[in-house]
C-alpha cells in the first residue's frame, strides 16, 4: 500500500523541565528558581497495567497536577498514583509557577502483558473455508484427478485375471486379462461438510477401460480387446482432518464406488470362455483399482490444496528480510465448512547499527477471545493483534525503525538545516519503545502508538545552538486493508506530543515548532511502518477477488472476509 504523508496535530511542551528563563528575567538572589523533576517512572519504562506510583521533586511551584489530577507537594517532593492501561501511557506532570508559567514533564510508559519474543505465537492465524469456498477450491483441485495419473498406476503390465478350466473332461481353456488403458472426463467433486467429517462425492464421467484378453482354447490361441464402459463412476467417501506435528493430515474414513450403467461386449470371445465370470472379475478389479487410486489421490489432493494455507515465507521490508514460519495447530470440520488454526513465528535479523541495543520486556499482547468467523463468506482469515504487534516488535528490535539522517552524506536535505539556522548537521531518531497496536475505545479500529521516540538534532555552530534532544509520543488511527494478497497498515493522520529532554537552544515555541514542522522525520518513521504487511494464506491456485477487514465481531483479531476467484 502506497504511503501517503500523514497530517499531524502537534502538542508542544515548550518550557523545559529545569525552568528555563529569558536573559532579562529577574530572580531575586534569595529565591530558588521553580523546578520540576519526575523520579519515577523513568522514561521508556515497561510496566504492568493497573496503579503505579508517580514520584518526583518540585520547588517553587504554586500547584502541581499529574494527568490533570491535583497533587500536593510536601517538603519539595510529591508522590501519587495513576492507572496504567494496556498500551502506551503518557504521564504528564505539569507544575504552575507563581507567575502562571508552566513546567512540563512527559514520561512514556508501555504497560501491559508482554510475550516472549523468542517463542512462537500459538493459534495466531486462523482460516475458515466455508462450503462456497470449498466448492471453488475443489473445482480447482479436481483437475489433478486426471485419467493419465490413474492410468499410470493401474496399467502395470500384469494380468488382473487368470484362470483355466476343463472342457469335455480336461483342462482345455486358459485365459488371462490385462488392463491396457483407462480414460474418463474431468471428475466432478461435491463437498458436504458434516461435523466432524468432510463428505466428498467424486463423479467420474464417461469411464472407458480397454482390457486385453488372451488365452488358449483346445490349442487355439486368441488375442481380443474388450471395451468396458460406464457413464459414471461414483465414489463416496468421508474425510477426516487433523493437525499432526505442524502438518495437515487428511485421511479417508470410508469409501465406496459404483459403476453406474456398466456395459461390455463379450460376443467376440470364444464360446468356451466363461464370459460372465470374466466380466465380473474385470468390473470388480476396475472398481478396486479406481477406488485404490482415489483413496491415495483424493486425500493428497485436498491435503495439498489446504496445505497452501501455510504462509511460511521470507518477505523483504525496506531491504531487510522478515521470516514468517507457520505450522498447523488444529483442523476442525463442522456443518458449514472447515476451520484451521496455525501457530506462527517470525524473526528479523538485527541491522548493523551504532545505536544502543534496545532493552525490552517483550511484545505487547492484547486480551482476545476466540475469533468469531463468519460461516457464510467463502473464506475468512483471522489475524491476531499479537501477530501484528510481534511483527512491529521485530521491526523495532532489529533497528528497522532507527533513522539517522545527515547533510554530510546527503540523506538530509540542506534546506532542513537552513530552516534551523545551521550550515549543516544531523537528525537521529531512536524509538526507545516499540510501536504497538491497541483496539480503539469502540473496538472497531486499531490505534498505533509510538512512545519515547528520542530525537537528537545536531546543529553544530548553528544560530539557535548546537543540539536539542526531544522525546516524542505519537498516536494514530490505523486503516487495515488488503492489497496484492497481503494485509497492510496505513496511517493517514497522527497526533504528536513532545517534551524537551536536553537543549542548548533554549525552549522557545518558535524553535521547537521549527524542529517539529521542518526537521523531525516522523513521516519517514511512519512510512517504515506502512511498509509492514502480512501475506494472506492462499488456496490451491484460487486467488482473492475482493476482501475487506472487519474488527467488529472478535476481540483481539482482525477478520479478513474474502471472495475467491479462480486463476485461469
Amino acid at each position: 500500500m502506497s504511503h501517503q504523508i500523514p497530517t499531524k496535530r502537534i502538542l508542544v511542551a515548550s518550557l523545559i523541565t529545569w525552568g528555563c528563563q529569558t536573559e532579562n528575567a529577574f530572580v531575586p538572589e534569595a529565591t530558588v528558581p521553580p523546578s520540576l523533576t519526575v523520579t519515577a517512572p523513568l522514561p521508556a519504562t515497561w510496566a504492568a497495567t493497573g496503579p503505579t506510583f508517580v514520584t518526583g521533586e518540585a520547588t517553587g511551584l504554586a500547584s502541581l497536577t499529574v494527568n490533570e489530577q491535583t497533587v500536593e507537594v510536601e517538603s519539595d517532593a510529591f508522590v501519587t498514583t495513576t492507572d496504567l492501561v494496556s498500551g502506551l501511557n503518557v504521564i504528564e506532570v505539569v507544575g504552575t509557577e507563581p507567575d502562571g508559567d508552566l513546567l512540563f514533564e512527559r514520561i512514556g510508559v508501555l504497560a501491559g502483558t508482554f510475550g516472549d519474543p523468542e517463542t512462537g505465537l500459538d493459534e495466531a492465524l486462523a482460516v475458515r473455508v466455508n462450503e462456497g469456498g470449498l466448492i471453488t477450491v475443489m473445482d480447482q483441485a479436481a483437475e489433478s484427478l486426471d485419467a493419465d495419473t490413474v492410468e499410470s498406476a493401474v496399467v502395470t503390465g500384469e494380468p488382473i485375471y487368470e484362470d483355466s478350466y476343463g472342457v469335455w473332461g480336461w483342462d482345455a481353456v486358459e485365459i488371462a486379462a490385462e488392463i491396457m488403458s483407462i480414460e474418463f472426463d474431468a471428475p466432478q467433486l461435491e463437498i458436504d461438510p458434516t461435523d466432524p467429517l468432510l463428505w466428498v462425492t467424486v463423479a467420474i464421467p464417461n469411464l472407458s477401460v480397454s482390457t486385453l484378453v488372451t488365452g488358449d482354447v483346445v490349442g487355439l490361441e486368441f488375442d481380443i480387446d474388450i471395451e468396458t464402459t460406464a457413464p459414471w463412476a461414483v465414489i463416496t467417501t468421508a474425510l477426516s482432518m487433523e493437525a499432526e506435528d505442524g502438518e495437515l493430515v487428511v485421511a479417508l474414513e470410508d469409501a465406496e464406488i459404483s459403476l453406474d450403467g456398466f456395459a461390455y461386449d463379450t460376443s467376440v470371445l470364444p464360446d468356451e470362455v466363461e464370459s460372465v465370470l470374466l466380466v465380473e472379475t474385470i468390473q470388480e478389479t476396475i472398481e478396486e483399482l479406481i477406488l485404490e487410486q482415489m483413496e491415495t489421490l483424493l486425500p493428497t489432493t485436498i491435503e495439498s490444496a489446504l496445505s497452501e494455507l501455510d504462509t511460511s515465507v521470507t518477505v523483504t521490508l525496506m531491504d531487510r528480510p522478515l521470516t514468517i514460519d507457520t505450522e498447523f495447530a488444529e483442523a476442525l470440520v463442522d456443518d458449514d465448512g472447515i476451520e484451521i488454526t496455525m501457530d506462527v513465528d517470525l524473526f528479523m535479523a538485527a541491522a548493523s547499527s551504532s545505536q544502543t541495543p534496545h532493552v525490552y520486556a517483550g511484545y505487547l499482547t492484547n486480551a482476545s477471545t476466540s475469533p468469531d468467523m463468519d460461516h457464510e463468506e467463502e473464506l475468512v482469515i483471522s489475524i491476531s493483534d499479537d501477530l501484528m504487534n510481534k511483527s512491529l516488535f521485530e521491526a523495532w528490535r532489529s533497528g528497522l525503525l532507527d533513522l539517522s539522517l545527515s547533510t554530510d552524506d546527503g540523506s538530509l536535505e540542506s534546506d532542513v538545516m537552513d530552516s534551523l539556522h545551521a550550515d549543516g548537521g544531523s537528525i537521529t531518531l531512536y524509538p526507545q519503545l516499540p510501536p504497538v497496536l491497541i483496539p480503539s475505545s469502540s473496538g472497531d479500529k486499531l490505534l498505533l502508538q509510538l512512545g519515547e521516540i528520542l530525537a537528537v538534532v545536531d546543529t553544530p555552530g548553528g544560530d539557535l545552538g548546537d543540539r536539542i534532544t526531544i522525546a516524542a509520543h505519537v498516536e494514530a488511527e490505523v486503516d487495515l486493508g488488503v492489497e496484492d494478497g497481503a494485509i497492510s497498515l496505513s496511517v493517514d493522520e497522527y497526533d504528536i506530543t513532545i517534551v524537551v529532554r536536553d537543549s542548548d537552544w533554549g525552549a522557545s515555541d518558535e524553535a521547537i515548532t521549527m524542529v517539529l514542522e521542518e526537521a523531525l522525520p516522523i513521516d519517514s518513521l511512519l512510512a517504515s511502518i506502512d511498509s509492514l504487511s502480512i501475506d494472506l494464506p492462499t488456496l490451491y491456485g484460487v486467488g482473492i477477488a475482493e476482501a475487506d477487514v472487519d474488527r467488529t465481531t472478535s476481540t483481539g483479531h482482525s477478520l479478513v472476509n474474502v471472495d475467491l476467484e479462480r486463476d485461469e
Side-chain angles (χ1 to χ4, degrees), residues 204-235:
I204 301 175
N206 300 320
L207 175 67
S208 175
V209 180
S210 176
T211 304
L212 176 64
V213 179
T214 59
D216 183 292
V217 176
V218 194
L220 297 175
E221 295 183 352
F222 62 90
D223 184 334
I224 301 171
D225 287 324
I226 294 179
E227 294 292 329
T228 53
T229 61
W232 291 98
V234 180
I235 302 163

Side-chain angles (χ1 to χ4, degrees), residues 104-127:
F104 286 84
E105 279 276 20
R106 288 194 178 100
I107 305 297
V109 176
L110 187 58
T113 303
F114 302 102
D116 182 358
E118 308 309 324
T119 62
L121 292 160
D122 292 339
E123 300 184 359
L125 195 62
V127 178

Side-chain angles (χ1 to χ4, degrees), residues 553-566:
T553 59
S554 293
T555 302
H557 300 267
S558 296
L559 301 182
V560 184
N561 300 314
V562 177
D563 290 332
L564 296 172
E565 68 179 6
R566 178 168 171 170

Side-chain angles (χ1 to χ4, degrees), residues 59-301:
T59 58
L61 298 178
S63 64
L64 181 75
T65 62
V66 175
N67 289 346
E68 300 182 347
Q69 300 298 312
T70 300
V71 176
E72 296 296 326
V73 178
E74 298 181 1
S75 301
D76 296 336
F78 65 91
V79 60
T80 188
T81 61
T82 190
D83 286 330
L84 300 178
V85 297
S86 182
L88 176 66
N89 296 257
V90 180
I91 299 173
E92 183 174 78
V93 183
V94 181
T96 303
E97 300 181 22
D99 61 4
D101 288 341
L102 302 178
L103 300 180
F104 286 84
E105 279 276 20
R106 288 194 178 100
I107 305 297
V109 176
L110 187 58
T113 303
F114 302 102
D116 182 358
E118 308 309 324
T119 62
L121 292 160
D122 292 339
E123 300 184 359
L125 195 62
V127 178
R128 179 170 185 85
V129 187
N130 292 313
E131 191 165 356
L134 286 172
I135 292 172
T136 303
V137 172
M138 290 305 103
D139 284 346
Q140 188 84 342
E143 294 182 1
S144 66
L145 302 176
D146 62 281
D148 290 341
T149 302
V150 175
E151 184 180 80
S152 64
V154 302
V155 178
T156 62
E158 299 294 327
I160 61 170
Y161 173 79
E162 289 183 294
D163 199 2
S164 61
Y165 42 87
V167 175
W168 303 316
W170 69 86
D171 288 342
V173 178
E174 293 183 355
I175 188 171
E178 175 188 340
I179 291 180
M180 302 304 294
S181 68
I182 184 168
E183 296 179 353
F184 52 81
D185 293 338
Q188 301 171 13
L189 271 68
E190 294 183 3
I191 304 294
D192 181 19
T194 306
D195 186 6
L197 297 173
L198 186 66
W199 288 89
V200 179
T201 300
V202 183
I204 301 175
N206 300 320
L207 175 67
S208 175
V209 180
S210 176
T211 304
L212 176 64
V213 179
T214 59
D216 183 292
V217 176
V218 194
L220 297 175
E221 295 183 352
F222 62 90
D223 184 334
I224 301 171
D225 287 324
I226 294 179
E227 294 292 329
T228 53
T229 61
W232 291 98
V234 180
I235 302 163
T236 57
T237 184
L239 299 174
S240 65
M241 294 185 187
E242 64 177 344
E244 185 176 304
D245 298 327
E247 300 293 332
L248 187 65
V249 178
V250 178
L252 267 76
E253 296 292 315
D254 191 16
E256 297 179 353
I257 185 172
S258 64
L259 300 183
D260 297 346
F262 183 74
Y264 53 88
D265 181 9
T266 59
S267 61
V268 293
L269 289 175
D271 294 339
E272 292 81 5
V273 174
E274 297 179 2
S275 59
V276 174
L277 179 61
L278 171 63
V279 170
E280 287 179 352
T281 302
I282 291 175
Q283 180 176 353
E284 290 175 0
T285 302
I286 291 173
E287 290 176 345
E288 289 175 1
L289 289 174
I290 292 178
L291 192 60
E292 180 182 316
Q293 291 307 304
M294 288 299 121
E295 287 176 342
T296 300
L297 291 174
L298 192 58
T300 301
T301 298

Side-chain angles (χ1 to χ4, degrees), residues 1-3 480-490 530 533-536 544 547-549 560:
M1 184 170 291
S2 61
H3 175 66
L480 294 175
V482 176
E483 186 173 331
D484 297 330
I487 185 169
S488 57
L489 312 179
S490 176
D530 266 5
S533 63
I534 298 173
D535 287 343
L536 297 176
I544 295 175
D548 63 82
V549 182
V560 184

Side-chain angles (χ1 to χ4, degrees), residues 365-487:
T365 62
N366 286 340
S368 64
T369 58
S370 297
D372 183 15
M373 294 191 281
D374 192 285
H375 284 219
E376 298 295 330
E377 298 283 351
E378 288 189 325
L379 178 68
V380 184
I381 302 166
S382 170
I383 300 175
S384 72
D385 293 352
D386 290 355
L387 175 55
M388 289 191 284
N389 271 327
K390 190 174 182 185
S391 299
L392 291 172
F393 173 87
E394 290 292 345
W396 168 80
R397 180 169 68 163
S398 71
L400 180 66
L401 305 182
D402 299 346
L403 299 176
S404 184
L405 308 174
S406 173
T407 55
D408 289 342
D409 60 15
S411 58
L412 182 64
E413 296 289 341
S414 59
D415 291 349
V416 175
M417 286 293 112
D418 291 342
S419 69
L420 301 178
H421 304 283
D423 293 333
S426 64
I427 299 175
T428 301
L429 224 58
Y430 180 69
Q432 296 180 283
L433 294 171
V436 296
L437 292 169
I438 65 167
S440 64
S441 57
S442 62
D444 62 346
K445 293 282 188 179
L446 281 174
L447 297 178
L448 174 68
Q449 298 176 325
L450 299 91
E452 290 295 334
I453 306 169
L454 206 61
V456 180
V457 181
D458 283 310
T459 53
D463 295 342
L464 300 175
D466 292 327
R467 169 176 285 195
I468 184 170
T469 301
I470 291 171
H473 310 286
V474 175
E475 184 171 275
E477 190 173 276
V478 171
D479 290 326
L480 294 175
V482 176
E483 186 173 331
D484 297 330
I487 185 169

